[in-house]
Amino acid sequence: MSQEDANRRHPRDLQGLLRFAMEATRAEDAPHPSVFQEMDPERRRFLEEAIRSLTIDVVEQIQKAMKILIEGQASAQEQKEALDTVIDFIENIDTANDFYKIGGFCILLPGLESPYAEVRQGTAELIGELAQNNPFCQEHLLELNVLPKLIELLTDEANVANHALHAISCIIRHNEACLRGFLEIGGAECLVGVLESGHEKLLIKTAFLLSTLCVEDSKLREDVIKFGAVERLIRHIAPRTEYDPLLETALSALYVLTESETAITQCQDSRFNLCYTLEDVIKVSGNNDVFQECIGYAEGLIKRCFTPTSPEETDR
């Protein structure tokens, strides 16, 4: 048996068994289509027994991983592997809910406070998997009070911060109670502060999350503007000869904020020279298709913030 085969995990369910069988027999496939026949009862019983023997007890495996994490004596690598095991299993929404029911959430806060960056990152990744499109887990994560700790991790090293932001997004998106809980502890101001981070990937994700939330909530948009988002976004707008996702995201987020008159007024501040910068963005980008979105946002911002409005349009 090769090392690759030795490291391959056993199938955990029927779908995994079928995939395992397909991969194992791919090299032996005949060059002509197979002729399928109805399975006889004896062969069906054999297959069912094979499935039962190969199916892993999910709860048992999760509990083994939890024991490693709860005891906290294992190395950083061993704890990260235990977290990866749990993540693999809870990708299914029902298993994610069962993870809560068997007491799995007890590992989350200690994991976020681990001295090991790999464990903090893995725990934040696990929280994101638990919360994504899952109101049951979102609400219990809110009760567990993980949001304040995730906010703290936004200033951690880049990989940890990125996963913490993803976890926050998964908890608060499409869940009014969780979003309110996040805002009550100063979450919006913290996100605006992240716009000063030196980690480009984190900056992009934060600007995108802020713009998405502001589209959905006009009051939140006003708060984000009050916390200084406009000035921070303007700092990331500059002409580029090569496509830069940060430029596009900053322009997009600023365009969302300028739905507010307050943001328009801030953009017009002469200190920023924003109109000239936007014109340079358009000029330098030229007719390059990859800059199409950037040019569209830049032109929209010029029209919205720096084009005089006629009396007729004002009356409308």
Side-chain angles (χ1 to χ4, degrees), residues 68-69 75-87 117-123 125:
I68 293 173
L69 295 164
S75 67
Q77 182 60 32
E78 290 169 329
Q79 292 185 55
K80 180 62 168 62
E81 288 174 358
L83 284 164
D84 288 341
T85 296
V86 177
I87 290 169
E118 304 98 311
V119 177
R120 297 195 299 275
Q121 174 187 326
T123 305
E125 182 181 355

Side-chain angles (χ1 to χ4, degrees), residues 8 17-30 34:
R8 186 177 296 156
L17 178 61
L18 291 174
R19 186 184 301 112
F20 177 85
M22 290 172 64
E23 291 174 355
T25 61
R26 183 174 296 151
E28 303 171 7
D29 286 346
S34 300

Side-chain angles (χ1 to χ4, degrees), residues 98-109:
D98 290 340
F99 180 68
Y100 168 79
K101 294 171 185 175
I102 64 172
F105 277 29
C106 71
I107 69 171
L108 299 181
L109 284 175

Side-chain angles (χ1 to χ4, degrees), residues 213-225 260:
L213 294 174
C214 290
V215 166
E216 300 168 357
D217 188 332
S218 59
K219 175 163 187 322
L220 173 58
R221 183 183 63 207
E222 294 300 326
D223 289 340
V224 166
I225 294 168
S260 162

